[in-house]
Amino acid sequence: MNSRLLLRRLCASLLLGAVPFAAVAGPNDDCLKCHADPAAKAAAGKSGPIDAAKFTASVHGGRRGQCVECHEDAATEDGKEHAPKLKPVDCASCHDDAVGEYAKTVHGVARAGGNPVAATCGDCHGSPHAVLRASNPQSPTNTANIEATCGGCHGNDKLVEQAHLPGGNIQAKYHDSIHGRMMHEGGSYNAAVPTCTSCHGTHAILGKKDPASRVSQQHVPDTCGECHQREHVVYDQGKHGTLQHAGDKTAPVCSDCHSAHSIKRASASDWKVAVVGQCGNCHDDYVQSYHQTYHGKVTNLGFADIATCASCHGAHDIRPASDPRSTVAGANLLQTCRQCHKQASAQFASWDPHPRPTDRSRDPVLYWANFGMNALLIGVFVFFGLHTVLWAYRSITGALRRRRDGTNR
């Protein structure tokens, strides 16, 4: 037990006339006479009322804690009434490690910087007189309730705007995500599904730009990998993971492709179509060429049952074509095509999935065919455009001449 806490409990017991650590009933009875009585509060202006049953069931009351351990200046001799206004309770007197972590977090830094709405201990744990262990289903910090607890700030549109909280209404995004849906499927919660604290931590919540943060670019794969272990291993072995471990800050991590809070099921049709655009954030030239193909044009129409980037390159184990283990390596390309095109031949697999009609060195035949088609198209428009202008000129001048001559010819 913390020696400072032990000394304070001893002093509190002596001041209240109790025998230290003896099984004496009701060590807080004198306090609760006023603070648990709504009538006494109304008559004497006491702060309360405190629900004695909830306090007794809480972690503070349940450990036979005494009020004066937290409210030190409430301890008086001979039952005298304490001062009308007491000092704010310092949670660090017992929870110094947690408070120390909190002071360095986005919440603690914001509160120290004068932000009055930044979350404090009570915002997450509830009233200090009714704090329950996280294992208790009624606790605000229980897995089943974390979304609602964090949503008290990050799901409140008015507060989000007032405090300029990043990410907008994060609770709504999480609730509609695959994690949020799995959490509450069937009307009951799934304790194995990640919640806010699973990714961000509990007391040591740091901003994503902080290198030590669990959600920083450097640590996102490890954080997600705590649940998605197979994907983590495969990602680490792929090109993206190799670049990320080499310190390349532009290397995509889980949240770059799946997003942070609005994560959708990978089998969802709208996600399959949208993820092509995510690849284009880094590989814009490849995505542009993809959209010129049959596959790309079909996805542009919103259809997902067609080959996308991941269909050919893989999802987490993406490797360059020069790697023999790559799904688009020469020796593996035909098998990759046969996932959809069962009768594909070697000649079929030689088709260029990323055509660049303006690059003569890549494919001279395609270049000249594209050049000829463009020349023909431009020539047709020029010829018929000129023909239309001349015909319009002939028609207008003829009409004017007939009007001048007074004839209808």
Side-chain angles (χ1 to χ4, degrees):
M1 181 180 289
N2 186 301
S3 58
R4 182 170 54 177
L5 176 58
L6 180 64
L7 179 61
R8 291 176 57 211
R9 292 189 65 177
L10 175 61
C11 294
S13 298
L14 291 173
L15 288 170
L16 292 176
V19 179
F21 311 110
V24 178
N28 298 312
D29 285 352
D30 286 342
C31 298
L32 294 175
K33 285 179 183 178
C34 293
H35 292 281
D37 182 1
K41 177 208 171 193
K46 306 294 181 185
S47 61
I50 294 171
D51 189 317
K54 289 185 178 180
F55 175 69
T56 302
S58 71
V59 292
H60 293 150
R63 55 182 282 278
R64 297 189 62 80
Q66 297 181 4
C67 303
V68 291
E69 291 181 28
C70 296
H71 302 281
E72 297 177 345
D73 47 348
T76 60
E77 297 181 11
D78 302 326
K80 294 180 180 179
E81 187 173 313
H82 59 69
K85 187 174 182 180
L86 302 179
K87 296 177 181 178
V89 172
D90 182 9
C91 298
S93 59
C94 295
H95 307 286
D96 50 348
D97 290 341
V99 172
E101 287 183 336
Y102 166 83
K104 302 174 185 176
T105 66
V106 289
H107 294 148
V109 171
R111 174 66 66 164
N115 188 332
V117 298
T120 60
C121 310
D123 292 315
C124 299
H125 293 278
S127 168
H129 300 110
V131 175
L132 300 173
R133 296 188 184 281
S135 57
N136 189 313
Q138 302 300 319
S139 171
T141 57
N142 183 270
T143 303
N145 303 320
I146 284 292
E147 179 192 335
T149 299
C150 296
C153 293
H154 296 280
N156 184 324
D157 290 326
K158 183 177 180 180
L159 194 148
V160 167
E161 182 179 357
Q162 176 187 349
H164 304 292
L165 299 181
N169 192 323
I170 292 176
Q171 182 191 10
K173 295 177 181 178
Y174 171 84
H175 190 79
D176 291 335
S177 72
I178 183 174
H179 291 155
R181 291 180 181 275
M182 290 177 65
M183 174 63 72
H184 301 290
E185 277 181 351
S188 59
Y189 79 92
N190 186 343
V193 176
T195 60
C196 314
T197 53
S198 305
C199 300
H200 293 276
T202 51
H203 297 106
I205 300 174
L206 302 173
K208 65 179 182 180
K209 294 183 180 180
D210 190 320
S213 172
R214 287 173 52 83
V215 294
S216 68
Q217 194 266 357
Q218 178 182 354
H219 293 139
V220 161
D222 294 331
T223 298
C224 296
E226 292 176 1
C227 296
H228 304 282
Q229 297 175 5
R230 187 189 70 82
E231 289 79 4
H232 186 204
V233 171
V234 173
Y235 169 83
D236 279 346
Q237 295 173 349
K239 181 65 175 180
H240 293 160
T242 302
L243 291 172
Q244 197 262 347
H245 283 293
D248 188 341
K249 294 184 178 180
T250 64
V253 294
C254 316
S255 55
D256 291 312
C257 300
H258 294 277
S259 79
H261 301 103
S262 305
I263 302 172
K264 294 188 176 182
R265 193 180 296 274
S267 58
S269 297
D270 57 343
W271 187 83
K272 286 182 179 180
V273 173
V275 77
V276 173
Q278 297 295 334
C279 297
N281 290 334
C282 297
H283 307 286
D284 181 59
D285 56 336
Y286 283 97
V287 170
Q288 285 187 18
S289 62
Y290 165 81
H291 282 305
Q292 296 188 41
T293 68
Y294 172 78
H295 292 156
K297 293 184 184 301
V298 172
T299 57
N300 282 342
L301 296 175
F303 294 96
D305 295 331
I306 199 72
T308 60
C309 310
S311 305
C312 301
H313 295 276
H316 301 101
D317 55 344
I318 300 171
R319 301 172 187 273
S322 57
D323 189 327
R325 295 167 294 179
S326 171
T327 54
V328 294
N332 304 324
L333 188 57
L334 179 58
Q335 190 60 37
T336 298
C337 293
R338 283 179 174 173
Q339 293 179 95
C340 300
H341 306 279
K342 304 300 182 183
Q343 305 301 320
S345 64
Q347 183 177 1
F348 178 93
S350 66
W351 166 76
D352 188 354
H354 293 286
R356 293 176 174 79
T358 58
D359 187 349
R360 186 169 63 177
S361 61
R362 183 181 179 91
D363 190 337
V365 174
L366 177 62
Y367 172 82
W368 286 112
N370 180 69
F371 180 86
M373 286 299 297
N374 286 337
L376 176 62
L377 182 64
I378 294 171
V380 168
F381 274 100
V382 169
F383 175 80
F384 282 101
L386 182 60
H387 179 274
T388 301
V389 170
L390 293 176
W391 189 270
Y393 174 78
R394 178 179 180 277
S395 300
I396 293 171
T397 55
L400 292 175
R401 184 173 61 253
R402 288 191 296 272
R403 176 179 295 180
R404 184 178 62 248
D405 297 341
T407 64
N408 292 322
R409 293 180 302 169

